[in-house]
Amino acid sequence: MNMKVEHIGIATPRLEEALRFWRDALGLEVKHTEVVEDQGVRVAMLPVGEPRIELLEPTGADSPVAKFLEKRGPGIHHVAVRVADIRATLSRLKDEGARLIDEEPRRGAGGCLVAFVHPKSSGGVLLELVEHAAES
């Protein structure tokens, strides 16, 4: 199984405030921004070497990220790993008894296929599986 860290998702109530640190203070370049309607977030991707920092701003009060911020405040929301075959990975995890949030992948930022694994199955960390559009 060939996996690597894709990005680290960081929840923030206001993207522009977070960018003052990540972009302005650290000097990272924003490579991509978009609104992912399905997930109720506005994202900004900033490469740090090969992996990226993904800043997540909720677009509404009912967004999962808004609920996360309400409960835990700003900070690391999830770790994403890139997989070659997301459906096969989900199937293997399910067979191993992992609790899946998404049993089927859905479209995420950049047109990638994404699926989340519940933190209770991954040591308290929300895990996102990512398959790039060119691979899917």
Side-chain angles (χ1 to χ4, degrees):
M1 179 185 316
N2 188 15
M3 285 190 201
K4 60 183 171 180
V5 174
E6 170 72 20
H7 65 262
I8 298 171
I10 299 175
T12 180
R14 287 168 293 290
L15 201 52
E16 281 307 314
E17 283 182 20
L19 285 172
R20 279 192 221 120
F21 175 77
W22 294 97
R23 179 192 59 207
D24 303 342
L26 283 180
L28 298 177
E29 183 181 352
V30 176
K31 286 289 190 177
H32 177 78
T33 60
E34 78 177 273
V35 172
V36 182
E37 295 290 340
D38 252 18
Q39 297 172 30
V41 292
R42 184 172 150 227
V43 302
M45 293 288 196
L46 301 96
V48 182
E50 192 170 335
R52 299 171 292 172
I53 296 295
E54 178 186 50
L55 299 175
L56 304 155
E57 175 189 73
T59 57
D62 60 341
S63 159
V65 172
K67 292 173 186 170
F68 174 91
L69 287 166
E70 215 173 88
K71 194 179 216 181
R72 294 184 182 87
I76 294 177
H77 178 262
H78 67 272
V79 174
V81 294
R82 185 174 178 172
V83 298
D85 185 338
I86 196 167
R87 286 179 176 85
T89 303
L90 287 168
S91 178
R92 186 175 55 258
L93 287 169
K94 188 173 182 175
D95 289 348
E96 292 293 324
R99 184 171 168 192
L100 304 176
I101 293 172
D102 300 301
E103 294 206 9
E104 288 294 321
R106 53 189 158 125
R107 289 283 167 202
C112 293
L113 289 178
V114 301
F116 287 88
V117 178
H118 198 281
K120 289 187 180 196
S121 291
S122 52
V125 176
L126 179 61
L127 178 67
E128 180 182 16
L129 305 173
V130 179
E131 180 181 324
H132 277 239
E135 296 166 359
S136 58

